[in-house]
Amino acid sequence: AQKITQTQPGMFVQEKEAVTLDCTYDTSDQSYGLFWYKQPSSGEMIFLIYQGSYDEQNATEGRYSLNFQKARKSANLVISASQLGDSAMYFCAMNRDDKIIFGKGTRLHILP
Amino acid sequence: DTGVSQDPRHKITKRGQNVTFRCDPISEHNRLYWYRQTLGQGPEFLTYFQNEAQLEKSRLLSDRFSAERPKGSFSTLEIQRTEQGDSAMYLCASSHGTPNTGELFFGEGSRLTVL
């Protein structure tokens, strides 16, 4: 069965530094999608970035990039030049059948 | 605001009472999903609809839970005879078709506290 693992429950990063949030996944599917979502304190889940398993290039969206290493089954999120507004929970996710399943998340704190 | 809206945002109830949550998805989205999120955890899938058809229910959805989407637009999630373990954030999300490459659009959630 598909599974998402996020091993960092919390991280503290100085403002303007880059940060990497770890994610590993397990699936027997050949074709799958990987996602990252942000959840600020307001509670709403915000889609950040998508990577397809057959995409040869790592996905990028502004300051977000997904470091996809298929052989290692990892899909780490990299946030460049972190900002105070990046403080939030971050969830790695993947599609399974017709739905999306989520990891337990990493709480990111950006320090001024 | 044309995003996903949920009502109520907060609900406090006594154990044994029934509660109902409503979700209004983005109007052109045919898929609607319900998730449950407890403190320190990621969202857990409960059920989803394509138009008015409920296509899958998680084993997390006990027989005290029922969800409907009668006209393929808004959806309701009812919990009967609430228990303290039902305390959680209930998230609704919608998408246009299968969200395999696109994202789910989430509402801000309905937080349930069972005393």
Side-chain angles (χ1 to χ4, degrees):
Chain A
Q2 285 94 334
K3 184 180 175 182
I4 296 283
T5 303
Q6 294 181 255
T7 57
Q8 306 154 307
M11 289 188 69
F12 289 84
V13 173
Q14 208 67 40
E15 189 181 8
K16 299 181 184 176
E17 289 184 353
V19 56
T20 298
L21 304 181
D22 295 340
C23 172
T24 57
Y25 62 92
D26 189 21
T27 182
S28 56
D29 291 346
Q30 296 300 309
S31 177
Y32 50 89
L34 296 157
F35 310 83
W36 278 90
Y37 282 79
K38 172 184 179 180
Q39 187 178 43
S41 56
S42 61
E44 184 178 358
M45 298 281 284
I46 302 168
F47 168 81
L48 295 178
I49 196 166
Y50 159 79
Q51 177 84 42
S53 58
Y54 288 116
D55 294 342
E56 295 184 353
Q57 303 265 357
N58 285 343
T60 59
E61 288 288 346
R63 293 186 299 111
Y64 303 109
S65 61
L66 198 152
N67 184 358
F68 180 47
Q69 298 187 42
K70 193 170 182 177
R72 300 176 72 173
K73 293 190 174 178
S74 76
N76 298 340
L77 178 71
V78 179
I79 306 175
S80 63
S82 58
Q83 302 171 356
L84 295 178
D86 294 332
S87 293
M89 283 290 290
Y90 288 81
F91 294 97
C92 182
M94 70 183 299
N95 63 302
R96 182 181 74 191
D97 301 323
D98 282 343
K99 56 191 173 290
I100 292 178
I101 60 169
F102 294 85
K104 291 188 175 183
T106 296
R107 181 167 294 281
L108 177 62
H109 303 268
I110 305 299
L111 304 172
Chain B
D1 186 7
T2 57
V4 178
S5 62
Q6 293 187 244
D7 183 71
R9 294 288 314 281
H10 302 274
K11 178 71 176 179
I12 300 173
T13 191
K14 291 184 179 180
R15 188 177 55 186
Q17 297 294 305
N18 299 345
V19 296
T20 299
F21 300 114
R22 176 179 169 127
C23 172
D24 287 90
I26 293 172
S27 58
E28 63 267 25
H29 285 180
N30 59 347
R31 288 279 179 103
L32 187 148
Y33 295 79
W34 285 100
Y35 285 83
R36 182 175 71 186
Q37 186 178 22
T38 53
L39 201 62
Q41 301 294 318
E44 297 172 296
F45 169 77
L46 292 179
T47 187
Y48 84 95
F49 294 83
Q50 178 162 300
N51 300 314
E52 65 275 8
Q54 188 174 17
L55 298 186
E56 186 176 343
K57 292 192 292 186
S58 162
R59 284 175 290 180
L60 293 175
L61 215 64
S62 76
D63 56 7
R64 296 185 297 106
F65 288 69
S66 62
E68 294 182 341
R69 194 182 183 198
K71 298 182 180 178
S73 55
F74 73 92
S75 175
T76 58
L77 177 68
E78 181 184 15
I79 310 173
Q80 296 183 324
R81 305 182 302 281
T82 52
E83 301 173 355
Q84 288 184 328
D86 297 331
S87 295
M89 175 79 87
Y90 291 86
L91 294 167
C92 176
S94 69
S95 66
H96 183 69
T98 305
N100 285 339
T101 58
E103 65 267 34
L104 285 179
F105 292 82
F106 280 84
E108 291 186 312
S110 293
R111 182 171 295 284
L112 174 64
T113 302
V114 182
L115 302 176

